[in-house]
Amino acid sequence: MPRSKRARVVHESKTAKKDHKEQTRRLYANIRECIEDYDHLFVFAVDNMRNTYLKDVRTEFGDSRVFFGKTKVMAKALGQNAESEAAPNVHKLTPYLTGAVGLLFTSRTPESVIGYFESFRPQDFARAGTEATRSFTIPNGLVTARAGEIPAEDDEPISHTIEPALRKLGVPTRLIKGKVTLELTEGQEGYPVCRKGETLDSRQTTLMKMFGVTSSEFKVDLKAYWTRSSEEVKILESQGDMEVDA
């Protein structure tokens, strides 16, 4: 039978499958090209990965290039020995391409790059599964928006609409004349949300976020860098693990 000439519905939501070989080839080619275009190449790590702060880094380094991908591909692009390296001595960076690591190509001075990342350490909310870096307790009595984290004169009572959510999260509260109040048994000084050193669960991190308690630090650690003019690799003090995006 002849093929039907009726109009067929084409779903626009359908997308083509990612070509992983093409992505790998492009990552390899881009890294090789950047080695020739920029004065310095840094290997870095990121503590407490947050896309928001990585975007801030990318915005700051708009004149540079940041890559994150398979470490084997990045290592191959740099070269795993003197015979296969893309430029003299650049292969000495490959031992640092382990774990979640990224590459920063820039023509800024190393001092300015190091100085920027030493000062760029914004605080953020902790994630479930991470270790508590501090203890947090909701004080007795009237529950305020920051739960004792700031002076009482600068704080204000928490909205009564939040009280059901607090009880659902296990906090023993009740409404007294429209004010959210913590109800504890005699002898308790407050409701302990978490203690320093324990592994946080989603309930604890939700409560900390509700009261604006930040205990996580976003930090980029520079491991080592290569300079094209001198063909030298300088090792920097490593303080953490890492991640980024290409």
Side-chain angles (χ1 to χ4, degrees), residues 6 10 23 45 60 79 85 87-88 114 126 135 156 162 166 184 190 197 217 233:
R6 289 180 299 174
V10 178
Q23 288 181 328
E60 168 63 27
E85 64 185 0
I114 294 169
S135 298
E156 59 184 20
I162 299 176
L166 289 174
L184 297 171
E217 183 182 68
V233 169

Side-chain angles (χ1 to χ4, degrees), residues 9-129:
V9 177
V10 178
H11 297 284
E12 294 183 355
S13 60
K14 285 188 175 181
T15 56
K17 291 184 178 179
K18 289 184 178 180
D19 188 339
H20 295 292
K21 288 186 178 180
E22 174 60 23
Q23 288 181 328
T24 297
R25 186 202 65 76
R26 191 182 304 119
L27 175 62
Y28 178 93
N30 286 341
I31 290 175
R32 286 268 171 164
E33 181 180 347
C34 286
I35 290 174
E36 298 297 325
D37 293 342
Y38 294 90
D39 295 338
H40 307 285
L41 164 58
F42 287 82
V43 177
F44 67 92
V46 173
D47 274 352
N48 300 310
M49 176 79 157
R50 290 292 194 277
N51 287 333
T52 300
Y53 298 131
L54 282 176
K55 287 179 182 178
D56 292 340
V57 171
R58 288 181 178 281
T59 300
E60 168 63 27
F61 286 89
D63 57 353
S64 307
R65 293 290 301 274
V66 177
F67 293 97
F68 178 71
K70 292 183 178 179
T71 55
K72 288 184 178 180
V73 178
M74 294 192 292
K76 188 174 181 180
L78 297 184
Q80 296 174 312
N81 51 50
E83 289 71 32
S84 62
E85 64 185 0
N89 292 324
V90 76
H91 78 279
K92 293 180 180 180
L93 291 177
T94 57
Y96 300 94
L97 295 177
T98 58
V101 296
L103 300 176
L104 167 65
F105 288 92
T106 183
S107 290
R108 300 188 188 186
T109 64
E111 293 76 18
S112 67
V113 175
I114 294 169
Y116 172 78
F117 286 117
E118 283 181 347
S119 61
F120 184 70
R121 300 196 175 186
Q123 294 294 310
D124 208 337
F125 299 109
R127 290 179 174 181

Side-chain angles (χ1 to χ4, degrees), residues 151-224:
E153 58 270 20
D154 297 329
D155 211 346
E156 59 184 20
I158 200 167
S159 172
H160 69 278
T161 59
I162 299 176
E163 198 270 339
L166 289 174
R167 278 191 285 108
K168 191 174 181 180
L169 290 167
V171 184
T173 58
R174 71 170 179 146
L175 286 175
I176 300 179
K177 296 181 179 180
K179 303 292 185 180
V180 182
T181 305
L182 189 63
E183 272 200 333
L184 297 171
T185 58
E186 189 176 349
Q188 288 185 282
E189 297 182 357
Y191 180 79
V193 175
C194 69
R195 292 182 173 84
K196 183 177 180 180
E198 71 178 353
T199 300
L200 298 169
D201 58 30
S202 59
R203 184 189 67 85
Q204 293 168 308
T205 55
T206 299
L207 283 170
M208 294 172 76
K209 191 170 185 178
M210 287 177 69
F211 290 100
V213 178
T214 57
S215 63
S216 178
E217 183 182 68
F218 175 87
K219 181 172 60 175
V220 173
D221 293 314
L222 301 174
K223 291 189 168 188

